[in-house]
Amino acid sequence: MKDSPADPPGSARLLSPRVAVVVVYVAAMCMNGLDSTIVNPALFTIAEDFGRPVSAANAVETAFLVALALALPVAGWLGDRCGTKRVFLGSLAVFTAASALCGLAQDLPTLIAARAVQGLAGGLLTPVGMTLLFRTYAPHERGKLAKALIVPTALMPALGPPLGGLLTEHASWHWLFFVNVPVGLAALLIGVLGLREHVEGTEGPFDRTGFLLATPALGLLTYALGYGPAHGWSSPPVAAAGILGAILLVAAVRHLRRTAEPLLRLGLFTDRNYGTASVLAVLTAAGLMGLLFVFPLLYQAALGASALDAGLSVFPEALGLMLASQLVDRLLPRLGPRRLTVPALLLATVVFALLGVPGVADDAWAVRLLMFLVGLVLGTAVLTVQLAGFESIAPPDMGQAMGLFQIVRTLGGAVGIALCAAVIGGGGHGGTPDAGPFRAAVWGTAALVAIGALVALRLPAEAPQPPPYEDEADSADENEADSADGAEAAEGDTVAA
C-alpha cells in the first residue's frame, strides 16, 4: 500500500481516517443519490420558468445520466494514478461547485451544462469512494459497512421525488441544488483533515484507444437505453445511439482484452468471486430497476391511481433495504455469502411474482407489504453480493474492480428498464389500459432474479475470516495512526449513528 507522507500534520489526531472515510463517503453518496431523482418532479416548473417545452427540460436529466456514464471508465485509472483521496475530494469539490451553478442558473443551457459537470463528477465519486472504503476496511470488517452503504443507495433516491416536489412547491426549484452546498463543504473539510492518501500507481501509458472506444460506448448506450422507452426505439437519435454504442462496445471489449495495459482490466472477471458478483449485479439491478419502472405503471392500470400514489407505492422498498443492512451485518458472518444470498434471491423471486398476480395490485396494503419485502430480501442479497465479490480482490486491483462493477451494475439497471418497456409495448396507450403486459413485465423481472439465485450457487460458502493477529496489527498500522482501541470505538460510534 502506497500511502502519501503528505497528509496534514496532526490529521490523525483530529479525526480517525477509518471514521472519516465512512462519514465523507456517506455524505458524498447522499448528495449523488438524491440528485439522481430529486429533479424529476421539478421538470415542468423548470420548463415553465425558462419558457421552454418539457421535452427540452428533460435534457437536464439526460445530461446528468449520460455524463455520469462517461466518467465511469476512467474512474479506476484516475484513482490509481493520481491518488484516491485527491480524485475523490476533487470530484466532490466539482460536484458541490456544479450544484451551486445549477441553483444559480438563469437559462436552460447553463443549467444543462452545469448538470453535465455534476454527472461527470458523480461518475467518479461512487467507484473511487468505494475503493477508499474497501481499502480501509479488511474483508472481514466490511459487513459493518452495510449500515452506512444503504443510506445513500436506498433512502436518498427514494426521498428525492417527495423532497423535490416539496422544495419546488414551497420554495423554488433552485433549492434542489443549493441543499448540496453545505453538505459538500462540510464533507470536504472532514475529508481534507481525516482521509489518508493512497497512490497505487499505474504502469505504461494511458490507454487512449480504450478510452476513445469505451467512454462514448457507455454514454451512447446509456442514452439509448434510458430514452428508448419514452421516445421510441425507432426514433433516429435513439436508434443511432444504440447501434453506434453497441458497435463501439464490441470494439472496446476486443481492444481491452488484447492490449497489455488496458484502461479497464477485464481479466478481473475471471476471478470466481468477483465474476460471479458482477453477473449477479447485472441480474439484480435489471430485476430491481425493471420492477421499480413497471410496477407503478401496473398500479395505475389496475387501480386508476395517480402518478403520485403510484410513486409512493414503491417507497416501502427503501425501508426494507434499511432493515436489510442490519440483517447482513448479523447474518453474513454466521451463514456465509452462499447460504445467505441463494435463499434471499429465491424469496425475492416469489415476492416479485406475487406483485404480478391479478388482484394483488388492487390492495394498497398488500402492495406496501410486498414492496417492503422486495427491499428486505433483495437488499439482503445485493449487499451480501457486493461485500463477497471483493473478498479476493487485492488492494492494488480495487480501483479497477470498483470501476468495472459500477459499469456493469449501471448497464444492468438500464437493460432491465428497456426489457420491461419492450414487454409492455403499447399496452398502456389509448383507451382503458390493459394490465396484462404490465403483469408479464413484472413476471419477467422475477425470472431475472430467479436466474440470479442459480448464479449465486457459485458464491463462497464461508464468510471472510479475520487475519492472524500479526497481519491484523500490520494492517491497523497502515490504516490508522491512532491506537487500535480508539479507532475501533470511533468506528462503532459512526456506524451506529
Side-chain angles (χ1 to χ4, degrees):
M1 186 175 186
K2 304 165 188 174
D3 291 319
S4 169
D7 292 321
S11 62
R13 294 191 298 273
L14 293 173
L15 186 64
S16 157
R18 289 165 63 86
V19 175
V21 69
V22 175
V23 173
V24 176
Y25 174 82
V26 170
M29 291 303 99
C30 282
M31 294 166 59
N32 206 12
L34 197 64
D35 265 46
S36 66
T37 59
I38 196 173
V39 178
N40 293 339
L43 290 177
F44 283 99
T45 303
I46 292 172
E48 186 178 70
D49 280 1
F50 292 142
R52 303 292 294 274
V54 176
S55 58
N58 283 336
V60 173
E61 283 305 279
T62 307
F64 181 82
L65 294 173
V66 173
L68 188 145
L70 291 175
L72 288 175
V74 297
W77 186 89
L78 278 176
D80 288 344
R81 185 65 175 262
C82 303
T84 47
K85 174 181 177 179
R86 185 177 293 111
V87 173
F88 184 76
L89 293 184
S91 302
L92 180 58
V94 172
F95 191 94
T96 303
S99 298
L101 291 175
C102 286
L104 294 170
Q106 298 299 310
D107 56 70
L108 190 58
T110 301
L111 177 58
I112 292 171
R115 190 73 168 143
V117 175
Q118 260 194 324
L120 287 171
L124 297 176
L125 281 175
T126 301
V128 178
M130 287 291 290
T131 302
L132 277 169
L133 273 179
F134 278 33
R135 279 178 175 160
T136 302
Y137 288 83
H140 70 283
E141 299 176 299
R142 293 172 189 164
K144 302 174 184 178
L145 298 175
K147 300 173 185 176
L149 296 177
I150 206 66
V151 174
T153 57
L155 189 59
M156 290 300 106
L159 286 178
L163 180 59
L166 183 68
L167 288 174
T168 302
E169 182 176 349
H170 296 288
S172 166
W173 64 262
H174 298 273
W175 282 99
L176 305 180
F177 305 102
F178 287 144
V179 293
N180 286 333
V181 176
V183 178
L185 291 176
L188 280 169
L189 177 61
I190 294 172
V192 168
L193 295 177
L195 293 183
R196 288 281 185 86
E197 183 59 283
H198 178 103
V199 181
E200 188 59 46
T202 57
E203 298 179 1
F206 178 68
D207 181 13
R208 293 184 180 87
T209 302
F211 173 77
L212 293 174
L213 291 173
T215 300
L218 288 177
L220 290 167
L221 288 174
T222 300
Y223 175 85
L225 291 171
Y227 294 93
H231 296 88
W233 299 105
S234 60
S235 67
V238 172
I243 294 171
L244 183 56
I247 293 172
L248 289 174
L249 182 63
V250 172
V253 171
R254 286 172 58 87
H255 167 78
L256 293 171
R257 291 181 61 186
R258 295 177 178 181
T259 190
E261 293 295 334
L263 178 69
L264 298 168
R265 294 204 291 273
L266 301 184
L268 290 170
F269 289 129
T270 60
D271 179 89
R272 181 185 176 96
N273 292 353
Y274 180 76
T276 301
S278 298
V279 174
L280 285 170
V282 172
L283 292 170
T284 54
L288 179 60
M289 296 306 294
L291 180 72
L292 295 181
F293 165 75
V294 74
F295 186 77
L297 301 177
L298 170 61
Y299 197 60
Q300 293 176 79
L303 291 181
S306 68
L308 177 60
D309 290 337
L312 291 175
S313 70
V314 302
F315 182 77
E317 181 262 347
L319 302 179
L321 276 170
M322 298 293 288
L323 180 58
S325 67
Q326 307 293 322
L327 293 179
V328 170
D329 182 22
R330 291 168 171 79
L331 296 180
L332 181 57
R334 301 176 185 177
L335 300 178
R338 185 190 305 163
R339 287 189 291 270
L340 184 55
T341 303
V342 173
L345 288 176
L346 290 174
L347 286 173
T349 301
V350 173
V351 175
F352 274 49
L354 286 174
L355 284 166
V357 171
V360 171
D362 299 320
D363 187 335
W365 282 105
V367 168
R368 292 170 187 145
L369 174 61
L370 289 173
M371 290 306 303
F372 174 80
L373 292 175
V374 166
L376 178 62
V377 293
L378 188 64
T380 297
V382 168
L383 284 169
T384 302
V385 166
Q386 186 166 349
L387 295 172
F390 291 86
E391 176 187 347
S392 54
I393 297 296
D397 295 326
M398 193 63 70
Q400 281 278 335
M402 282 297 175
L404 281 171
F405 196 77
Q406 293 301 323
I407 289 171
V408 299
R409 186 161 60 179
T410 300
L411 287 178
V415 168
I417 294 173
L419 288 175
C420 287
V423 173
I424 290 171
H429 298 287
T432 302
D434 178 11
F438 299 103
R439 299 190 200 283
V442 170
W443 288 328
T445 64
L448 291 171
V449 177
I451 296 171
L454 296 176
V455 176
L457 293 172
R458 290 176 52 85
L459 288 173
E462 301 298 328
Q465 300 299 315
Y469 175 77
E470 293 81 5
D471 293 339
E472 189 171 32
D474 292 340
S475 176
D477 288 339
E478 290 180 351
N479 291 324
E480 184 67 84
D482 298 334
S483 68
D485 291 340
E488 290 296 329
E491 174 201 348
D493 291 343
T494 300
V495 173

